[in-house]
């Protein structure tokens, strides 16, 4: 095998990002300032139909501060998926509230509305589903459950920049929505997060919480954190924001090519009226998923990823006896193939050939 490795993800950093960082370094204004303010308003315009956003230093901070700003704390329960990155449940636990794990539906990997309803108690204050892999969760059904039971809806949109339900962008449905800007995400600021809300009081509390409780210097109003984004990170994010929609189109075209050509594996589905932004292109391999991934790597030099092999309710900090059958089977079967915008036609053809041959050999 003498072909180059095809990585499962590849951040794209070009000359413009480097020049933008240089300009900030030359300005001497390194910490949170005008670059961050511009990034916030541009993010709102490009990805959120103008809904206000607040920049923070990571997606995890965004979820944590969003929950605190929405009034979640000790004694409360928030329903989350178990099939997600641990930051979803961690951000709930960090407020002092308890994450309650519900099951997913098997086609799109979003929270299953029936399982959500079955987990509501008199301590439930909110539901925080995840737009996993870049496919929105079932927003109409889960919003209806939230409304019926008087609960808040929070969106973990860490993986779903620009995804939409019937033309409306994710991040605009809940009390708040949070995006991650980690390097492997659809766009990056190096590290970073963006929280969006339409509620002026939640927005104000978010701004206070990220900056030691201060809106004005030394007039601290509450106990806050230092979760500020730097101007350096914002400068990278502003450049990436001008490219993310084009990259998303490329991801969607790459996914369409894989859909049309893969054989012998279960390809991802897209619900009618939903826009999938393919943070991940996730197939299901029903027999020996880990052996399948090993063969792609060792025989064809094609990378892949398993998101996520361990359901969060089985992780050491949580360990609760929940029966979540769809979560269990997804954790055993999912495999994410490269779909990022840097793939060449030749890369895509190699991925198809590798997957189809490994699937055929295992059949
Ligand atoms: C679903 C989900 N939630 C939250 C996060 C946390 O984001 P960050 O890594 O920026 O803290 C991530 C990032 O990996 C994620 O995938």
């Amino acid at each position: 095998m003498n072909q180059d490795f095809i990585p499962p993800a590849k951040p794209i950093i070009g000359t413009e990002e480097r020049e933008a960082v240089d300009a900030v370094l030359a300005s001497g204004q390194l910490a949170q300032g005008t670059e961050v303010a511009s990034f916030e308003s541009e993010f709102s315009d490009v990805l959120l139909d103008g809904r206000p956003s607040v920049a923070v230093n990571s997606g995890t901070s965004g979820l944590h501060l969003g929950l605190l700003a929405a009034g979640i704390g000790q004694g409360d329960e928030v329903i989350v998926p178990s099939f997600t990155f641990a930051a979803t449940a961690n951000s709930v636990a960090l407020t002092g509230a308890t994450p309650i794990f519900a099951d997913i539906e098997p086609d799109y990997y979003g929270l299953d509305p029936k399982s959500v309803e079955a987990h509501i108690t008199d301590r439930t204050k909110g539901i925080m589903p995840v737009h996993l892999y870049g496919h929105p969760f079932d927003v109409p059904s889960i919003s209806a459950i939230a409304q019926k039971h008087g609960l808040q809806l929070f969106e973990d949109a860490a993986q779903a920049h620009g995804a939409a339900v019937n033309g409306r962008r994710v991040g605009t449905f809940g009390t708040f929505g949070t995006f991650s800007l980690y390097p492997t995400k659809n766009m990056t600021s190096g590290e970073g997060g963006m929280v969006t809300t339409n509620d002026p009081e939640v927005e104000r509390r978010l701004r206070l919480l990220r900056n030691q409780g201060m809106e004005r210097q030394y007039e601290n109003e509450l106990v806050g954190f230092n979760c500020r984004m730097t101007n350096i990170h914002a400068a990278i994010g502003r450049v990436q924001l001008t490219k993310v929609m084009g990259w998303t189109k490329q991801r969607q075209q790459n996914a369409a090519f894989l859909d049309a050509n893969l054989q012998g594996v279960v390809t991802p589905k897209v619900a009618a009226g939903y826009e999938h932004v393919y943070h991940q292109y996730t197939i299901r391999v029903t027999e020996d998923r880990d052996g399948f991934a090993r063969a792609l790597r060792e025989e064809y030099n094609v990378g892949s990823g398993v998101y996520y092999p361990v359901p969060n309710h089985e992780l050491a900090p949580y360990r609760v006896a929940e029966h979540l059958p769809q979560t269990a089977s997804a954790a055993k079967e999912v495999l994410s193939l490269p779909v990022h915008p840097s793939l060449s036609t030749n890369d895509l053809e190699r991925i198809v050939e590798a997957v189809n041959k490994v699937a055929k050999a295992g059949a």
Side-chain angles (χ1 to χ4, degrees):
M1 179 177 54
N2 53 10
Q3 289 176 302
D4 289 343
F5 178 58
I6 304 178
K10 191 171 175 188
I12 305 174
I13 298 292
T15 321
E16 284 170 280
E17 281 86 347
R18 280 197 283 273
E19 286 172 356
V21 168
D22 252 359
V24 171
L25 294 177
S27 78
Q29 306 293 316
L30 309 188
Q32 180 183 289
T34 52
E35 281 293 317
V36 173
S38 300
F39 185 31
E40 288 175 341
S41 72
E42 289 160 8
F43 195 95
S44 294
D45 289 345
V46 174
L47 291 171
L48 295 165
D49 306 324
R51 187 163 133 138
S53 350
V54 178
V56 287
N57 58 353
S58 74
T60 308
S61 300
L63 293 172
H64 180 203
L65 301 196
L67 290 163
L68 290 173
I72 300 299
Q74 195 83 34
D76 298 335
E77 293 179 354
V78 177
I79 298 173
V80 295
S82 174
F83 189 65
T84 174
F85 186 54
T88 313
N90 288 348
S91 61
V92 175
L94 286 168
T95 68
T98 305
I100 300 295
F101 298 100
D103 210 355
I104 51 166
E105 45 72 30
D107 288 336
Y108 315 108
Y109 305 100
L111 270 181
D112 174 1
K114 281 201 244 26
S115 182
V116 168
E117 207 150 24
H119 283 83
I120 293 173
T121 71
D122 55 8
R123 299 207 305 165
T124 310
K125 289 285 169 6
I127 310 169
M128 187 156 74
V130 179
H131 301 293
L132 201 71
Y133 304 145
H135 187 295
F137 61 79
D138 181 349
V139 172
S141 305
I142 296 198
S143 299
I145 292 171
Q147 210 157 22
K148 178 174 148 197
H149 295 270
L151 307 175
Q152 296 193 74
L153 178 67
F154 313 123
E155 296 176 71
D156 182 340
Q159 307 184 356
H161 313 67
V165 180
N166 297 322
R168 183 167 159 189
R169 290 279 167 69
V170 304
T172 65
F173 296 103
T175 303
F176 71 83
T178 294
F179 297 83
S180 166
L181 299 164
Y182 185 73
T184 56
K185 296 297 193 284
N186 288 23
M187 62 171 284
T188 186
S189 58
E191 288 268 14
M194 198 65 88
V195 193
T196 170
T197 180
N198 237 357
D199 180 330
E201 203 32 54
V202 172
E203 181 186 350
R204 187 177 128 72
R205 281 200 292 272
L206 275 164
R207 293 187 186 283
L208 290 172
L209 285 165
R210 80 171 168 184
N211 187 31
Q212 310 286 1
M214 297 186 290
E215 199 170 22
R216 282 176 301 279
Q217 192 79 328
Y218 307 129
E219 293 182 23
N220 305 58
E221 298 177 43
L222 47 77
V223 179
F225 301 82
N226 175 357
C227 291
R228 298 183 300 262
M229 178 180 276
T230 71
N231 272 354
I232 303 168
H233 293 88
I236 300 171
R238 289 183 72 193
V239 175
Q240 296 258 313
L241 200 50
T242 65
K243 302 177 182 172
V244 67
M245 299 313 247
W247 287 335
T248 298
K249 277 206 182 70
Q250 192 59 54
R251 285 176 181 274
Q252 290 166 337
Q253 282 168 18
N254 293 346
F257 182 89
L258 296 173
D259 284 346
N261 291 288
L262 292 180
Q263 287 160 10
V265 293
V266 181
T267 54
K269 297 180 180 63
V270 183
Y274 281 50
E275 182 168 4
H276 192 336
V277 295
Y278 292 100
H279 170 56
Q280 300 294 345
Y281 182 93
T282 303
I283 62 171
R284 287 182 92 123
V285 180
T286 47
E287 291 295 323
D288 187 20
R289 183 265 324 273
D290 294 340
F292 196 103
R294 219 169 18 251
L296 290 180
R297 178 75 176 87
E298 289 172 6
E299 294 168 33
Y300 298 94
N301 223 4
V302 170
S304 60
V306 175
Y307 313 107
Y308 297 89
V310 184
N312 289 184
H313 72 282
E314 295 174 11
L315 293 173
Y318 300 113
R319 274 211 192 116
V320 284
E322 286 280 0
H323 177 59
L324 307 176
Q326 296 300 342
T327 294
S329 75
K332 271 203 209 83
E333 295 179 1
V334 293
L335 187 66
S336 296
L337 302 175
V339 73
H340 52 82
S342 306
L343 295 173
S344 65
T345 306
N346 184 50
D347 291 336
L348 286 162
E349 285 167 354
R350 277 182 55 202
I351 295 164
V352 166
E353 187 193 353
V355 171
N356 291 353
K357 284 196 169 151
V358 174
K360 202 161 175 198

